[in-house]
């Protein structure tokens, strides 16, 4: 590796480096984190580990220290995301070096590591001790006979943001793998490409983030200070719903069927016994916990 490559991390407050990071993310993933930063949600819970060349970000692995309530026990995990290298700098071992830096900082300090990979790089991560983990989706076919009561909340104003923040922060555990103390990541979704997918369900004292298309409801997550009745939450989306799939593992699977989750860009790799054992418990990382 060239000696004039410089390693930096946790530089999101630097305008020049953050701009370069966003340019690379836009090129590789067609995603930009600038609004997330300007809205105050890019905190130390999302840490870029990068190499610079001439003040330009050329390779990156982002680190997200995360807490989950997993089967009733608090677990500390690290998720890796936004793994990317500018095309001209590939095949130089830069990602390998960055992952070694992450291991150096977090090994023996957390309960496990995980990441989501696409089908083109499935041979890469086992070199670092990661195992492929099968996730499971819970779904049900339904025949709702009531009108829609869930109200879409377009996330346009700061007041909208604050109400959803409060709902996330004050929610009790609603799934068997439940992310805690990371409202910022939920707001990344809710204020960007899911800003039309936030719903308030007043009669259930709940907010939900969900996608609805041609009779199929994908319920990413529900937030409420009390344990919700999922049947009532689903019914609030009205008679147009014929099938619902959960983006999380329900606390109680009664009434749901399950199947192995499949997605070209969402293959879960884990390192750490509790993560790897998820396959035996028919569980999944909540979709709104992906970075």
């Amino acid at each position: 590796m060239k000696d004039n490559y410089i390693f930096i991390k946790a530089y999101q407050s630097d305008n020049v480096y953050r701009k370069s990071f966003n340019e690379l993310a836009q090129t590789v993933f067609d995603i930009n984190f600038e609004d997330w930063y300007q809205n105050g949600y890019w905190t130390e819970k999302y840490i870029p580990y990068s190499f610079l060349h001439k003040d330009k970000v050329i390779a990156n692995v982002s680190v997200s220290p995360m807490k989950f309530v997993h089967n009733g026990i608090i677990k500390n995990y690290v998720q890796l995301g936004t793994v990317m290298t500018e095309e001209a700098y590939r095949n130089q071992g830069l990602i390998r070096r960055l992952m070694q830096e992450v291991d150096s900082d977090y090994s023996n300090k957390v309960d496990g590591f995980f990441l989501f990979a696409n089908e083109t790089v499935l041979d890469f991560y086992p070199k670092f001790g990661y195992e492929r983990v099968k996730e499971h989706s819970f779904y049900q076919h339904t025949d709702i006979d009531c009108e829609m009561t869930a109200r879409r909340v377009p996330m346009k104003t700061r007041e909208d943001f604050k109400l959803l923040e409060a709902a996330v922060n004050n929610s009790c555990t609603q799934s068997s793998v439940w992310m805690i103390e990371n409202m910022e990541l939920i707001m990344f979704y809710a204020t960007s490409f899911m800003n039309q997918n936030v719903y308030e369900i007043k009669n259930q004292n709940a907010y939900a983030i969900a996608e609805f298309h041609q009779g199929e409801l994908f319920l990413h997550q529900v937030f409420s200070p009390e344990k919700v009745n999922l049947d009532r939450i689903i019914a609030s989306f009205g008679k147009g719903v014929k099938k619902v799939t959960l983006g999380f593992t329900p606390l109680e699977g009664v009434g749901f069927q399950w199947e192995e989750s499949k997605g070209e860009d969402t293959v879960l790799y884990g390192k750490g016994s509790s993560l790897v054992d998820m396959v035996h418990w028919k569980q999944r990382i909540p979709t709104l916990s992906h970075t």
Side-chain angles (χ1 to χ4, degrees):
M1 187 174 64
K2 295 180 180 179
D3 292 335
N4 54 353
Y5 293 171
I6 299 172
F7 169 68
I8 58 170
K9 64 182 178 182
Y11 56 83
Q12 59 267 26
S13 60
D14 186 293
N15 293 336
V16 173
Y17 295 156
R18 187 180 69 255
K19 180 175 183 291
S20 181
F21 170 92
N22 278 321
E23 288 172 348
L24 182 58
Q26 190 79 54
T27 299
V28 176
F29 297 116
D30 194 26
I31 194 169
N32 193 298
F33 296 83
E34 188 61 22
D35 285 347
W36 192 46
Y37 176 82
Q38 294 298 336
N39 287 327
Y41 298 125
W42 185 346
T43 68
E44 72 285 350
K45 296 172 187 175
Y46 182 82
I47 308 168
Y49 279 54
S50 303
F51 277 118
L52 295 175
H53 184 220
K54 298 180 180 178
D55 285 336
K56 178 181 177 182
V57 175
I58 59 169
N60 180 78
V61 174
S62 290
V63 172
S64 296
M66 309 179 97
K67 284 186 178 182
F68 287 88
V69 178
H70 187 183
N71 293 328
I73 301 171
I74 292 180
K75 294 286 186 178
N76 290 286
Y77 295 143
V78 162
Q79 181 177 184
L80 305 185
T82 329
V83 179
M84 56 187 181
T85 306
E86 186 172 326
E87 188 172 1
Y89 297 87
R90 292 173 185 171
N91 302 312
Q92 296 183 33
L94 299 181
I95 297 301
R96 178 183 295 275
R97 286 286 302 274
L98 291 172
M99 292 190 68
Q100 289 170 347
E101 292 285 348
V102 174
D103 276 346
S104 176
D105 284 352
Y106 290 97
S107 286
N108 303 318
K109 296 179 182 178
V110 296
D111 296 301
F113 297 78
F114 70 96
L115 57 88
F116 292 92
N118 62 50
E119 295 282 359
T120 64
V121 293
L122 299 188
D123 294 332
F124 180 69
Y125 295 106
K127 298 175 183 177
F128 300 93
Y130 287 80
E131 298 180 46
R132 186 169 182 170
V133 181
K134 292 181 180 179
E135 293 189 285
H136 293 82
S137 295
F138 283 73
Y139 69 95
Q140 66 175 225
H141 296 279
T142 187
D143 186 18
I144 297 170
D145 189 27
C146 58
E147 296 301 319
M148 183 174 181
T149 57
R151 181 184 69 89
R152 179 182 279 118
V153 182
M155 302 298 288
K156 293 181 178 180
T157 69
R158 178 59 62 176
E159 181 181 359
D160 295 331
F161 294 0
K162 292 297 183 183
L163 289 172
L164 181 58
E165 285 179 29
V168 174
N169 286 330
N170 295 326
S171 182
C172 67
T173 300
Q174 304 287 354
S175 60
S176 61
V177 181
W178 178 258
M179 182 174 67
I180 60 175
E181 300 177 13
N182 203 337
M183 166 273 297
E184 295 88 344
L185 181 54
I186 303 298
M187 297 305 293
F188 170 77
Y189 286 98
T191 59
S192 56
F193 54 89
M194 287 189 182
N195 63 0
Q196 296 297 312
N197 302 117
V198 178
Y199 295 85
E200 183 183 18
I201 308 168
K202 279 194 173 182
N203 60 357
Q204 300 296 312
N205 192 22
Y207 272 79
I209 298 180
E211 297 180 74
F212 184 65
H213 182 66
Q214 295 184 345
E216 294 196 12
L217 178 72
F218 193 99
L219 188 59
H220 286 279
Q221 193 56 268
V222 181
F223 304 99
S224 175
E226 302 100 23
K227 180 183 173 184
V228 299
N229 181 308
L230 278 179
D231 289 338
R232 293 178 181 174
I233 295 292
I234 292 166
S236 72
F237 285 88
K239 61 181 65 176
V241 178
K242 303 304 178 186
K243 179 183 178 182
V244 58
T245 302
L246 304 180
F248 56 93
T249 306
L251 291 170
E252 299 172 1
V254 177
F256 288 92
Q257 297 173 277
W258 55 266
E259 62 186 358
E260 184 181 336
S261 301
K262 296 180 180 179
E264 291 183 358
D265 297 322
T266 55
V267 179
L268 175 62
Y269 275 83
K271 184 164 63 171
S273 60
S274 59
L275 276 164
V276 174
D277 285 346
M278 284 182 64
V279 62
H280 303 301
W281 294 97
K282 303 292 187 293
Q283 295 183 335
R284 72 181 302 171
I285 300 291
T287 50
L288 296 186
S289 300
H290 295 200
T291 63

